[in-house]
Structure formats: structure tokens, C-alpha cells
Amino acid sequence: MSLNSVERDRRFYLNPFTNLVAKETQEHLVISRGRGVYVYDESGREYIEGMSGLWCVSLGWSEERLVEAATRQMRELPYYHSFTGKLPDVTVELAEKLMEIAPSPLGKVVFANSGSESNDTAVKVAWYYNNQLGRPEKKKIISRMRGYHGVTVISGSMTGLAYAQSGFDLPMSRVIHTDCPHHYRHAEPGESEDAFAARLARNIDELIQKEGPETVAAFIAEPIQGAGGVIVPPETYFRHVQPVLKKHDVLMIADEVICGFGRTGNMFGSQTLGIEPDMMVVAKQLSSGYQPISGLLLSDQIYNTLRDASGKLGMFGHGYTYSGHPVPAAVALETLKIYEERNMVERVRELAPVLQDGIRRFAEHPMIGHVRGMGLIGAVELVKDKATKEQYDPSQKAAATLVSYAQKHGLIVRALPMDAVAFCPPLIIEPSQIEEMLARFALALDDTAKHFGVS
Ligand code: PMP
């Protein structure tokens, strides 16, 4: 094919999360359109989008009601801000709807445009809160290895993955990391899931004591760690962790950017995993990814403290030009209505066994060391040796190889750190489409086994 406009433009595009050195030689997949759970590249080839894009397109690629909601809002009020006491009406309505479905005692929301920004806001709120309470030292944030919280300076610091930090002078000194709750990789021989969870909670306790409880403001966690490898913690993990946080007056921030809005079989992952958040961050499925919008939900207690502080300081000086933008707000509101009308949480519960049992069929495969997941999110972890759990050398790019074979078979899945490959299909997927997705994956796995000489 001669150089068409797309190919020419590509040379000017800094493609995030790719190896920029390899970029010129790398095959790019340029997507032109989508329909249901399928997307189509510029040559018209179909792919099952097994990742909902970046874990966000819950309602698939052709939800007309969201298109109409955006169009209507563009005509009615294409922009208004949320500064100085003014508000778009639709944004107020969205806040009310969110409060209706949020776990109590979260009673206020502050909007932004991305998960990173809202996590950033959560940290600023924790700092502002402690300043108001006369605890200016209480500022450190604990996050977990392999957690993903975004890429702004502070959210990138909290992300416990090397790529978000190497070369960027991160993490900042106020952020400290604790263990990743991945039992398969990090448990001691013979250690039960519960004993592992209890040990990790003790480690957090010791870390807080070592740092000084008067210096630790908050702990941030995804209910299920997504981009770090779809790591489902032991069932009792948060039950062990939360009393430690309470004891030291450390706020619990739940990062629901992936787990929120039905993904795990409850409206929020916090409900599935037993988290009682003081703050909760939502994004992605909030608008089915059709428009950029995120929110930070706050407990009344935190809000009241901020309000008192702003009384002293004159204002709460935080917010963006596009915070609570009416167009994404209208789309998010329509998305939440659709979740309710179509009983989406129940649907996830019904579909979960099709995906979860389906991926567990791969557990027997010689290259698969671990299979995990919950609701409509899951992953397989590739190993070189099942008995010892030895991994492939990173230079062999085992997971990336599997993902590129999957692409050849018309399936988009994602390679994550330590050779995990994730599934996170749109919530509207049909059982037969899950089976088709798994069938395409099985072909890719066979190709990958051949590639690595595994039989
Ligand atoms: N938190 C989690 C759990 C995420 O998965 C992501 C994005 N993958 C983010 C935060 C950051 O969101 P964004 O890319 O919208 O900044």
C-alpha cells in the first residue's frame, strides 16, 4: 500500500506505552470503526475487543443512546464550568445519580477528566484534610507494588510499576510502596491465602509504625489490581488491612477506575472485596469510555473538613476547566441509566461463570501457570516451568507474543507485566461471543506454544 494519510500521520504520533525506539519498525493497528464488541481496522478486518479498549467500553461500540445523549447536550449546552458556584444542570443530575448508587457514607463528588487526575485530586484532598486538622506532617501515601493509579506526577508515583517511574524521577518521596497481594507469586510455601493476607496487613502495620503514623495520610488500592496483572487479592485481604488503617487514622482510597460499575459482579469492586472507602475514584465505565470523565467521591466527614478549611483559606482552589463538563456528564448519566434499566450488574453475575470457567480451562496448558479473575475480568499468567513457576526471560516477550498471535486470530487482549494476559470484555458481550473469544485465544496459545517449542 502506498503511503496513505494515516501512515504519514503515524510518523508524527508519539504512541504512548510503546517502545519508542521500536516504533518505526513496529506493526501498528489502526482502528477505524466499532460495532458491538467488535472493532475493525483500516483494512476492514474484524477483532473481538477482549479488553473493552482500555477496560472502559462497557456498552460496546455502537450504543446509540450515548451518541444521542452527547448530541442533545452539544445542542443544549455544549460547555459550562463548575467554578465559583456555577454548575451545568446535567452535572448536578449526574452527581445525584452517583450518590444514589455509591456505597455510604460517600456523599459528595468532585469531577475531573481522567483516572489519573482524580487520583491526584484524592491525594490533594488527603493533604488539605490533614492540614485543616492541624497535622501538617501526615502526608505520606502508601500504595502497592503492581498497583496502577495513572501517570500524573503523583498518580505515577503511586503506580507500582517500573515503566511509570523509570526515567521520570518518580516516585516522589511522599509515596511509599507495600506488597502486592498476589498469592500465587508471593506466598511462602504452604501459606494459606488468609495467612498471606494477614502477613501483608502486618507488613503495612510495621511500615506505618516505621514511618511514624503521624506522617501517613492514606492508603490507595484497586479492589482488583488491573494493569499490574489482574491480581485478585485473597478474600480476607481488605478485612485484615482496614483495621490497621483505622488504628493509625490512615484514609482508605479505593481506586475503582477499572472495577467500578459492574465489572466484578457488584456495582463497585469495593462491595465485592469488602472495602469501606473514605474516598473512591471512578472513571472509564462511568461513561462507557465514550467521553472523558472521572470523579472522586468523598465521605461527608472529609467534605465537612474541607469546607471548614476553605472557610479559613477563602476557597477550595482545585478544579479544571473541563471538570464536570456537560457533554461527558450527559453521556455518563445516560450510561448509568442504561446500567440500571438493563440490570447490568445482574448480567455480569450471569455471564461471569462463562468467562471464569472458560479461562480456567487453560490452566492445564503447559505454558499457563495461573488463571485468575472475577466477574468479567480475568487473566492468565504464562510461565516457562509450571512446577517452579519460573518465568520466561523478559527479552523473550512471551505475553506480547501471545497477544500478537491473538491479534492475527482476530482478538484483542493485552499483555501485562510479568507475562499476564488480560481479558476484560464489554459487559454487553453474549455468552457465544465469550466462547468465540476463548476459541480465538486457544488458537493463539497453540501458535505461541509452537513459537516457544512447548508441547
Ligand atoms: N486507576 C486505574 C485502576 C486504572 O486502571 C487507570 C487507567 N488504566 C487509571 C487509574 C488512570 O486512568 P487514566 O488513564 O484515565 O488517567
Side-chain angles (χ1 to χ4, degrees), residues 34-235:
R35 209 84 224 133
V37 300
Y38 300 97
V39 292
Y40 299 84
D41 68 18
E42 55 190 337
S43 68
R45 264 201 91 209
E46 173 204 281
Y47 303 84
I48 296 182
E49 230 305 352
M51 283 301 296
S52 306
L54 287 179
W55 330 77
C56 50
V57 184
S58 44
L59 298 177
W61 269 265
S62 43
E63 182 48 68
E64 275 304 312
R65 278 178 60 180
L66 300 187
V67 178
E68 279 162 25
T71 313
R72 252 195 331 268
Q73 191 59 46
M74 287 286 275
R75 292 217 171 86
E76 200 63 31
L77 181 72
Y79 175 77
Y80 211 74
H81 62 81
S82 302
F83 278 33
T84 58
K86 300 176 182 66
L87 284 169
D89 60 356
V90 65
T91 309
V92 177
E93 222 185 305
L94 174 63
E96 283 168 3
K97 190 79 206 159
L98 266 174
M99 288 310 129
E100 201 183 295
I101 61 174
S104 60
L106 302 172
K108 282 279 186 298
V109 56
V110 44
F111 290 111
N113 314 292
S114 69
S116 300
E117 282 177 0
S118 284
N119 279 327
D120 208 281
T121 304
V123 172
K124 286 182 72 181
V125 163
W127 292 346
Y128 197 89
Y129 171 80
N130 279 322
N131 284 336
Q132 166 65 6
L133 294 180
R135 311 191 294 201
E137 298 296 310
K138 204 168 169 66
K139 295 290 164 57
K140 291 177 193 161
I141 311 291
I142 301 179
S143 69
R144 302 173 306 164
M145 299 307 298
R146 297 181 74 174
Y148 189 96
H149 302 292
V151 293
T152 58
V153 172
I154 201 70
S155 66
S157 295
M158 298 192 295
T159 290
L161 294 163
Y163 62 66
Q165 302 182 342
S166 305
F168 296 114
D169 289 2
L170 299 178
M172 290 182 75
S173 59
R174 277 182 176 179
V175 176
I176 40 185
H177 288 95
T178 188
D179 310 281
C180 165
H182 190 12
H183 181 266
Y184 169 76
R185 278 269 159 228
H186 305 304
E188 282 165 2
E191 192 176 34
S192 70
E193 294 225 353
D194 182 55
F196 172 65
R199 176 163 64 82
L200 265 45
R202 276 198 306 279
N203 288 349
I204 294 170
D205 198 355
E206 281 163 20
L207 179 64
I208 297 174
Q209 313 255 21
K210 186 182 105 212
E211 297 287 332
E214 72 288 354
T215 70
V216 182
F219 174 84
I220 184 165
E222 299 155 83
I224 293 175
Q225 291 187 315
V230 186
I231 294 158
V232 183
E235 202 189 326

Side-chain angles (χ1 to χ4, degrees), residues 14-33:
L14 194 162
N15 205 180
F17 283 84
T18 56
N19 181 337
L20 297 179
V21 174
K23 181 174 175 289
E24 300 307 325
T25 52
Q26 207 163 280
E27 256 180 58
H28 283 75
L29 182 64
V30 180
I31 299 295
S32 310
R33 64 187 188 92

